[in-house]
């Protein structure tokens, strides 16, 4: 594997698999057809003891219901999944649930970092739920790990957590702090989704922890850029360690109107906090159907040279489904 960024090509840096989303296998269809009916925002991991697969997914319904529930499903083959756990937004006393991150901790405890709207503040935040297995996660025992005010932001959500060098590395979507005129102050959090107001832009932030519970804020990693297809928002969805650095798929959007219909680009760097976007001219992945949205990728190795990629994909009817592609990097 070549470790010079400038020489990565053909297979998207030699570490990020290229794939055809039309060839993907549907893991979960939406509850119904039509705009606003989505299932996706996957987080996939494997049990290092039992070797089972666990897949987190978020269920969304049209406004005003929004992110109605999240589920965790289990599989023995990584293709056919059976639901083993469910949480509704009512259980969180929330207006909406977003993407979460499910991992097996270095302490042998399962950790679910769940993002949702706090009904009191009407801001997105990230909580942690722990258990000896995903089936036993109890959201009544959750603890908050990141609130927007603690990082000088308007909202924090969509965590993606990996373990690197014994550290918990969390990438997350951050709504930048904004000053608004008095006539727009109420609108800032009136809808319970600052990311969809057009009053701010979303960037990818980084936080690091030694125990998976207390996180130290490091700041922005990749940010929107004027004149590009990601000028309104950037959100790292999945990372792959390589050669002492990382490569990443990220979601991007150029306007607030595309906020729920992001497409995918790539970035890379030699430290978790310093990354360069390598697909500035256009996305590298989009759906061939509907709005073209392909977002929330997660990726997991199966064996030497083979990866499974899970993602949320727009359909012709306006809904989104959860798909999977298996890709060989040795072809």
């Amino acid at each position: 594997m070549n470790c010079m960024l400038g020489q990565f090509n053909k297979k998207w840096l030699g570490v990020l698999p290229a794939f055809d989303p039309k060839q993907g296998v549907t893991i979960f269809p939406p509850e119904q057809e039509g705009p606003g009916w989505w299932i996706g925002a996957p987080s996939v991991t494997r049990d290092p003891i039992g070797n089972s697969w666990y897949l987190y997914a978020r269920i969304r319904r049209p406004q005003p219901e929004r992110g109605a529930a999240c589920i965790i499903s289990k599989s023995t083959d990584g293709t056919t999944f059976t639901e083993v756990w469910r949480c509704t937004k009512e259980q969180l006393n929330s207006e909406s649930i977003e993407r979460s991150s499910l991992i097996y901790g270095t302490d042998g405890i399962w950790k679910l970092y769940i993002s949702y709207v706090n009904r009191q503040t009407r801001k997105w935040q990230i909580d942690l739920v722990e258990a000896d297995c995903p089936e036993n996660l109890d959201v009544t025992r959750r603890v908050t790990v990141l609130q927007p005010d603690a990082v000088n932001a308007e909202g924090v959500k969509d965590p993606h957590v990996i373990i690197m060098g014994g550290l918990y590395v969390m990438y997350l979507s951050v709504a930048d702090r904004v000053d608004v005129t008095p006539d727009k102050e109420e609108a800032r959090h009136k809808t319970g989704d600052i990311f969809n107001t057009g009053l701010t832009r979303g960037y990818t932030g980084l936080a690091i922890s030694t125990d998976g519970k207390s996180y130290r804020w490091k700041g922005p990693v990749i940010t929107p850029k004027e004149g590009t297809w990601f000028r309104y928002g950037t959100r790292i969805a999945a990372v792959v360690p390589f050669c002492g650095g990382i490569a990443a798929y990220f979601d991007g959007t150029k306007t607030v109107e595309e906020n729920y219909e992001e497409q995918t680009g790539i970035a890379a760097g030699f430290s978790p906090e310093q990354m360069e976007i390598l697909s500035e001219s256009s996305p590298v992945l989009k759906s061939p159907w509907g709005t073209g949205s392909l977002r929330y990728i997660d990726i997991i190795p199966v064996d030497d040279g083979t990866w499974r990629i899970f993602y949320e994909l727009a359909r012709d009817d306006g809904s989104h489904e959860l798909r999977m592609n298996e890709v060989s990097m040795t072809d």
Side-chain angles (χ1 to χ4, degrees):
M1 182 184 297
N2 196 315
C3 293
M4 296 299 292
L5 284 179
Q7 297 182 27
F8 285 140
N9 50 38
K10 190 177 180 181
K11 283 280 190 176
W12 298 346
L13 316 184
V15 290
L16 284 177
F19 66 95
D20 181 356
K22 290 185 293 185
Q23 303 301 316
V25 175
T26 299
I27 301 297
F28 292 129
E31 291 180 325
Q32 295 186 36
E33 296 182 350
W37 293 98
W38 306 334
I39 186 166
S43 175
V44 61
T45 190
R46 298 180 77 173
D47 182 347
I49 300 174
N51 208 32
S52 297
W53 296 67
Y54 285 98
L55 172 63
Y56 167 97
R58 193 277 301 256
I59 298 170
R60 190 188 187 278
R61 297 165 187 158
Q63 295 275 12
E65 194 160 359
R66 301 172 58 192
C70 56
I71 61 174
I72 296 174
S73 301
K74 187 176 182 179
S75 173
T76 58
D77 60 9
T79 302
T80 303
F81 287 85
T82 302
E83 183 180 323
V84 296
W85 180 89
R86 176 177 288 244
C87 173
T88 66
K89 67 177 185 177
E90 288 77 16
Q91 289 174 267
L92 299 172
N93 189 28
S94 175
E95 299 173 54
S96 186
I97 304 171
E98 261 286 10
R99 193 200 200 180
S100 302
S101 186
L102 178 67
I103 67 168
Y104 184 79
T106 57
D107 55 1
I109 301 297
W110 287 87
K111 303 179 191 302
L112 178 68
Y113 297 90
I114 188 166
S115 66
Y116 66 97
V117 177
N118 182 309
R119 192 175 291 276
Q120 281 68 51
T121 65
R122 308 206 77 188
K123 299 178 181 180
W124 291 99
Q125 68 180 51
I126 299 170
D127 287 4
L128 169 64
V129 192
E130 296 183 294
D132 59 346
C133 64
E135 291 89 335
N136 291 339
L137 290 165
D138 181 358
V139 295
T140 66
R141 302 179 65 182
R142 69 188 184 276
V143 295
T144 300
V145 293
L146 276 178
Q147 290 182 319
D149 290 346
V151 297
N152 193 34
E154 301 286 353
V156 291
K157 68 182 184 78
D158 299 329
H160 176 67
V161 181
I162 64 169
I163 298 172
M164 295 180 63
L167 295 175
Y168 294 82
V169 178
M170 177 189 291
Y171 295 95
L172 61 148
S173 185
V174 183
D176 207 0
R177 179 75 78 181
V178 290
D179 294 322
V180 296
T181 56
D183 61 309
K184 293 183 178 180
E185 179 63 38
E186 183 181 359
R188 180 164 21 190
H189 295 290
K190 184 177 181 179
T191 64
D193 189 2
I194 182 67
F195 290 87
N196 201 47
T197 62
L199 297 174
T200 183
R201 298 193 302 174
Y203 66 86
T204 297
L206 174 69
I208 293 178
S209 172
T210 58
D211 62 4
K213 300 175 184 180
S214 299
Y215 278 83
R216 179 165 52 96
W217 179 241
K218 300 293 288 184
V221 178
I222 58 172
T223 59
K225 182 178 180 180
E226 290 298 331
T228 68
W229 65 275
F230 52 89
R231 61 179 177 266
Y232 183 73
T234 62
R235 174 180 61 215
I236 285 181
V239 300
V240 177
F242 76 98
C243 298
I246 56 173
Y249 291 109
F250 76 93
D251 300 334
T253 182
K254 63 179 179 289
T255 64
V256 65
E257 289 77 19
E258 297 178 358
N259 182 58
Y260 297 141
E261 303 289 348
E262 298 92 339
Q263 297 177 355
T264 298
I266 53 175
F270 288 109
S271 75
E273 54 207 278
Q274 293 181 331
M275 301 188 69
E276 176 186 355
I277 289 176
L278 302 177
S279 55
E280 191 168 296
S281 60
S282 64
V284 296
L285 282 168
K286 58 184 179 179
S287 173
W289 303 293
T291 63
S293 179
L294 191 158
R295 61 181 193 163
Y296 286 129
I297 281 180
D298 203 4
I299 181 170
I300 188 168
V302 180
D303 51 36
D304 290 343
T306 302
W307 300 80
R308 286 190 184 172
I309 305 170
F310 295 76
Y311 53 97
E312 183 178 320
L313 184 79
R315 308 198 311 181
D316 264 340
D317 57 42
S319 64
H320 291 188
E321 66 178 34
L322 200 165
R323 281 198 169 200
M324 183 272 291
N325 279 62
E326 184 167 286
V327 180
S328 173
M329 290 292 286
T330 59
D331 291 345

